[in-house]
Amino acid sequence: MSLPPLPQALIFDWDNTLVDTWPSIIQAMNATLVAMGHQPWSESEAKGRIAKSMRDAFPALFGDRWLEAKDIFQSAFAAIHLDMLATLPGAEQLLKTARRLGLHVAVVSNKSGGFLRAESTRLGWDQYFIRLVGAGDASRDKPAREPVEMALAGSPVKDMAQVWFIGDNQVDIECGQNAGCRTVLLHPGPESHKNFGAYTPHHVFCGCADFTVFLETLAVPSGTVR
């Protein structure tokens, strides 16, 4: 099987693709559920249910009170997310490699844009990205294509086939395909991507380090012996 060409741009999901934020997300979500009169979620339930942005997910969960729930979540999350922030193994090296290879690198996340950019700044990662697009920044959130288009606005990248979208769940793969990107699934659970239906990723890697090696392989001119 022939290898694809090196892409011009990489667009990453954020939560649990580059950084481990499940502990803070689940803690804030459960605080919100309890305050709204719901039962808290187990870790496995939370991981199976949390993927969409609040403006897409909260109305179905909390009905007419979803804006109240949004305020509770944001307050709970703001108090803890920077202190609980942790990078995933190999994530920063992946970003460094992408920039060294001359790729345009951006983020499209369903985390609120303010929280997203605060976390990138805390990690010292702003230098790696041409843009960080969070929930609410574009007219629609993932899996719509608008945040992808916003992430690349002003860049020289015009052919979406030369853009790879990298994430950890079905919403990311769906978003990438909606935008016409090649899609990459990182950190898959056992058999997880086999349940994505029509949204099958083009590539699957167990972590950032493996994907870094793949990018470096694509950057080697054809016929070169290493």
Side-chain angles (χ1 to χ4, degrees), residues 122-153:
R122 168 63 69 92
L123 294 173
W125 282 8
D126 292 351
Q127 61 184 311
Y128 300 124
F129 305 116
I130 59 172
R131 187 162 294 165
L132 295 109
V133 178
D137 291 337
S139 58
R140 294 193 294 168
D141 300 324
K142 279 191 313 188
R145 65 179 295 138
E146 283 85 347
V148 176
E149 294 169 345
M150 176 177 281
L152 294 171

Side-chain angles (χ1 to χ4, degrees), residues 57-165:
F58 273 29
L61 185 58
F62 299 111
D64 292 341
R65 298 178 64 198
W66 80 270
L67 289 174
E68 178 185 349
K70 175 184 175 182
D71 289 342
I72 295 169
F73 178 91
Q74 290 185 326
S75 178
F77 190 75
I80 60 175
H81 75 117
L82 293 178
D83 291 335
M84 297 178 73
L85 184 63
T87 63
L88 285 170
E92 185 165 18
Q93 185 57 48
L94 170 56
L95 297 174
K96 288 179 178 179
T97 298
R99 292 307 304 268
R100 175 173 55 80
L101 295 176
L103 310 185
H104 297 272
V105 181
V107 169
V108 167
S109 172
N110 271 341
K111 169 170 280 174
S112 295
F115 289 143
L116 168 65
R117 288 181 283 276
E119 290 181 1
S120 176
T121 298
R122 168 63 69 92
L123 294 173
W125 282 8
D126 292 351
Q127 61 184 311
Y128 300 124
F129 305 116
I130 59 172
R131 187 162 294 165
L132 295 109
V133 178
D137 291 337
S139 58
R140 294 193 294 168
D141 300 324
K142 279 191 313 188
R145 65 179 295 138
E146 283 85 347
V148 176
E149 294 169 345
M150 176 177 281
L152 294 171
S155 80
V157 180
K158 306 302 179 186
D159 182 2
M160 297 304 292
Q162 298 301 315
V163 180
W164 290 16
F165 197 106

Side-chain angles (χ1 to χ4, degrees), residues 1-220:
M1 182 177 179
S2 61
L3 294 175
L6 187 70
Q8 294 180 351
L10 302 178
I11 296 181
F12 288 95
D13 171 50
W14 183 254
D15 293 313
N16 310 303
T17 295
L18 295 173
V19 296
D20 179 9
T21 54
W22 275 124
S24 56
I25 291 172
I26 293 172
Q27 184 172 321
M29 188 67 215
N30 279 337
T32 305
L33 288 167
V34 170
M36 297 296 290
H38 295 247
Q39 290 296 313
W41 292 344
S42 67
E43 180 178 340
S44 60
E45 185 178 10
K47 288 183 176 181
R49 298 184 65 170
I50 298 173
K52 294 183 178 181
S53 67
M54 282 187 287
R55 68 173 166 179
D56 288 339
F58 273 29
L61 185 58
F62 299 111
D64 292 341
R65 298 178 64 198
W66 80 270
L67 289 174
E68 178 185 349
K70 175 184 175 182
D71 289 342
I72 295 169
F73 178 91
Q74 290 185 326
S75 178
F77 190 75
I80 60 175
H81 75 117
L82 293 178
D83 291 335
M84 297 178 73
L85 184 63
T87 63
L88 285 170
E92 185 165 18
Q93 185 57 48
L94 170 56
L95 297 174
K96 288 179 178 179
T97 298
R99 292 307 304 268
R100 175 173 55 80
L101 295 176
L103 310 185
H104 297 272
V105 181
V107 169
V108 167
S109 172
N110 271 341
K111 169 170 280 174
S112 295
F115 289 143
L116 168 65
R117 288 181 283 276
E119 290 181 1
S120 176
T121 298
R122 168 63 69 92
L123 294 173
W125 282 8
D126 292 351
Q127 61 184 311
Y128 300 124
F129 305 116
I130 59 172
R131 187 162 294 165
L132 295 109
V133 178
D137 291 337
S139 58
R140 294 193 294 168
D141 300 324
K142 279 191 313 188
R145 65 179 295 138
E146 283 85 347
V148 176
E149 294 169 345
M150 176 177 281
L152 294 171
S155 80
V157 180
K158 306 302 179 186
D159 182 2
M160 297 304 292
Q162 298 301 315
V163 180
W164 290 16
F165 197 106
I166 304 100
D168 70 307
N169 61 43
Q170 182 177 331
V171 169
D172 298 318
I173 304 307
E174 183 178 352
C175 181
Q177 292 190 17
N178 286 341
C181 305
R182 197 172 189 91
T183 54
V184 177
L185 181 68
L186 287 188
H187 320 297
E191 306 294 310
S192 61
H193 59 290
K194 295 184 179 180
N195 300 318
F196 285 6
Y199 301 106
T200 301
H202 293 92
H203 304 282
V204 179
F205 297 96
C206 66
C208 295
D210 286 344
F211 185 44
T212 301
V213 171
F214 186 69
L215 287 177
E216 291 175 330
T217 299
L218 298 184
V220 176

